Amino acid sequence: MEAIHAGIFSIVPPVLAIILALLTKDVVFSLLMGILSGTIIYTILAGLNPLVAPVEVLFNTSFANLDLYIIFFVFLLGALVQVISLSGGSAAYGRWGSRYLRSRRSTLLATAGLGCLIFVDDYFNCLTVGTVMKPLTDRQKISRAKLAYLIDSTSAPVCIIAPISSWAGAVGSSLRATGSFASDFSAFCATIPYNLYALLTLLMIVFLIFTGWDFGPMRKQEEMSAASTAPDDTARQAESPCKSGTVTDMVLPIVLLIVLAMLGMLYNGGFWAAGEPGYHSLTGALNNCTAAQALCWGGFGAVLFAFLLYVPRGLITFKEFMACVTEGFKNMIPANSILVLAWTISGLCRDQLLTAEFVRDAMTRSQIPGALLPAIIFVVAAFLSFSIGSSWGTFGILIPIIVPVATALSPNLLIVSLSATLGGSIFGDHCSPISDTTILSSTGAGCDHLTHVATQIPYALLVAGCCLFGYLVAGFSDGNLLLMFGATLAALISLITIMHFSCQKHAVSLPKEI
């Protein structure tokens, strides 16, 4: 399937899918329509059979972009959650955690802290944090939308500033391909202090937790949850335990999942491989690992361990265990369906090089003033990543363009421009309806996908607007880090305060802190 340059038509499939999702509230239908529009555009421009080719291109693209390891991992995690819940382990863990996390604030801080600790891979983060923290956040009547926001905000934004992560390897490979840096790892580390979107997202989480100043749709979800009328009450009741499991019955399978996944990443990353120079280090192995494969191994090992932990003791019968596995698989079908469709529409754009060529032409033909370069790059990266739902795809497209453009126009702003590229790429991964981590965050939290998107977008847009201001300051101050960060942080705090007081008169009081 050859690449087609479609110009402005390249953004039609993802934009159409996003608009339909927001209008119809049906993600699957919206993604299918977006994909179909893309295959029709490709068929027309390539001069193929208009009756057969759209469907042929659809399935070719879909199968080419499937990540079966992630699909199986999601299924296995669904099964693990189900059997842990039936054993009574989740309820016991909730009762135990409530002794130490006695307020909303402490529970939210613990959730955010756990998300920051699991920085190796974003998929791993999204599903693990939700599984561990759901029983505790439910007991504090924290909405599932808020939990999904915390999970999503501590996955990609944390991974992109963690030198030891699968993301560092992906960015490093793109930097290495430009041939402009003596050390791609050092170049990646240099971008961290200037990655405003990632840093401000984390600071916003802390500020919101301590002040409780939620606004917009998130405020409404929190008020509904505090009044015990949230739409996810039914889901919470469904998690009621049927057995007399203990905290150990929940903690051990989850810990084993984490340990096996980490060991799997080191193994397939070549940590113990013979004759592989550069792989015999923690950083090298994690940068070269196949995270999805390791997660699948860890998920299978955790489910098998849960079987050996529960069934021989009589806590769960064999039939109950297998019924839970089947039910867990069923529960994850919607999430996997959305994932497959999201991968397809993202792959459709990448495989045809539609968006890539459109952005490349726009960047190379325009005469950009050097001082405006970081801000413009941030906007372009944010728009592109939101459209295709992939941060890796975005910085994979943009970094080879940005490095020569920044070197020619404003060499002293090269690192700032790269940081703007990474930060803008994270924006789409953080909040796009068709982003895989957005989908997995809502899945891990047990939150409706579009509810998660609607409640998170105002927060993400607020941070993105402050980042745009920050990169303008950086451009005109010749990359002054303190001035850039100080101005951006002041703008963020000011805007959150304004948003809070503007809607306070209509707010319902949330539970008091203990």
Side-chain angles (χ1 to χ4, degrees), residues 34-57:
I35 293 168
L36 188 59
S37 71
T39 59
I40 291 174
I41 291 172
Y42 182 85
T43 299
I44 293 173
L45 295 179
L48 303 177
N49 187 319
L51 296 178
V52 178
V55 178
E56 181 183 5
V57 172

Side-chain angles (χ1 to χ4, degrees), residues 92-105:
Y93 178 76
R95 292 191 297 270
W96 173 81
S98 63
R99 300 178 199 167
Y100 304 98
L101 303 176
R102 298 185 178 183
S103 68
R104 292 170 53 84
R105 181 180 298 155

Side-chain angles (χ1 to χ4, degrees), residues 442-454:
S442 56
T443 301
C447 174
D448 175 74
H449 177 59
L450 289 180
T451 299
H452 170 46
V453 173

Side-chain angles (χ1 to χ4, degrees), residues 15-39:
V15 170
L16 177 63
I18 292 169
I19 292 174
L20 287 176
L22 297 176
L23 292 176
T24 66
K25 311 299 182 185
D26 191 316
V27 184
V28 173
F29 168 78
S30 303
L31 287 171
L32 281 172
M33 290 301 100
I35 293 168
L36 188 59
S37 71
T39 59

Side-chain angles (χ1 to χ4, degrees), residues 5-290:
H5 300 174
I8 192 67
F9 291 106
S10 62
I11 64 173
V12 169
V15 170
L16 177 63
I18 292 169
I19 292 174
L20 287 176
L22 297 176
L23 292 176
T24 66
K25 311 299 182 185
D26 191 316
V27 184
V28 173
F29 168 78
S30 303
L31 287 171
L32 281 172
M33 290 301 100
I35 293 168
L36 188 59
S37 71
T39 59
I40 291 174
I41 291 172
Y42 182 85
T43 299
I44 293 173
L45 295 179
L48 303 177
N49 187 319
L51 296 178
V52 178
V55 178
E56 181 183 5
V57 172
L58 187 155
F59 283 103
N60 286 343
T61 307
S62 178
F63 286 117
N65 288 279
L66 281 179
D67 191 335
L68 292 178
Y69 283 118
I70 289 297
I71 291 174
F72 284 133
F73 175 64
V74 172
F75 276 136
L76 289 168
L77 193 65
L80 183 64
V81 170
Q82 198 71 18
V83 296
I84 289 176
S85 179
L86 181 64
S87 73
S90 297
Y93 178 76
R95 292 191 297 270
W96 173 81
S98 63
R99 300 178 199 167
Y100 304 98
L101 303 176
R102 298 185 178 183
S103 68
R104 292 170 53 84
R105 181 180 298 155
S106 60
T107 304
L108 291 170
L109 283 173
T111 303
L114 180 61
C116 292
L117 285 175
I118 305 178
F119 55 82
V120 175
D121 184 73
D122 53 333
Y123 289 172
F124 191 19
N125 179 303
C126 291
L127 296 171
T128 304
V129 175
T131 302
V132 173
M133 296 307 299
K134 251 189 301 186
L136 303 180
T137 55
D138 283 353
R139 291 182 73 88
Q140 293 293 337
K141 294 187 177 180
I142 296 168
S143 68
R144 292 287 177 84
K146 189 63 172 288
L147 175 60
Y149 168 66
L150 291 177
I151 294 171
D152 213 349
S153 299
T154 55
S155 56
V158 169
C159 291
I160 198 63
I161 57 174
I164 302 177
S165 70
S166 56
W167 286 58
V171 175
S173 64
S174 296
L175 294 173
R176 192 181 311 120
T178 66
S180 302
F181 303 96
S183 168
D184 51 274
F185 182 76
S186 298
F188 171 78
C189 291
T191 66
I192 294 175
Y194 295 93
N195 196 326
L196 290 178
Y197 188 82
L199 296 173
L200 257 66
T201 296
L202 298 177
L203 289 174
M204 183 172 178
I205 289 174
V206 176
F207 187 80
L208 291 176
I209 289 175
F210 277 100
T211 61
W213 288 359
D214 288 300
F215 55 87
M218 184 70 78
R219 179 78 193 191
K220 294 179 180 178
Q221 288 292 320
E222 286 288 87
E223 290 169 357
M224 292 169 63
S225 184
S228 298
T229 58
D232 39 40
D233 277 347
T234 303
R236 293 175 184 178
Q237 292 170 6
E239 292 179 353
S240 300
C242 299
K243 305 293 181 180
S244 56
T246 64
V247 174
T248 303
D249 291 316
M250 174 175 174
V251 173
L252 284 183
I254 298 297
V255 169
L256 187 70
L257 167 66
I258 295 172
V259 171
L260 289 179
M262 288 294 296
L263 291 175
M265 290 180 193
L266 293 177
Y267 174 77
N268 65 29
F271 187 73
W272 293 287
E276 298 286 346
Y279 281 27
H280 299 296
S281 67
L282 184 64
T283 303
L286 290 176
N287 286 348
N288 290 282
C289 75
T290 304

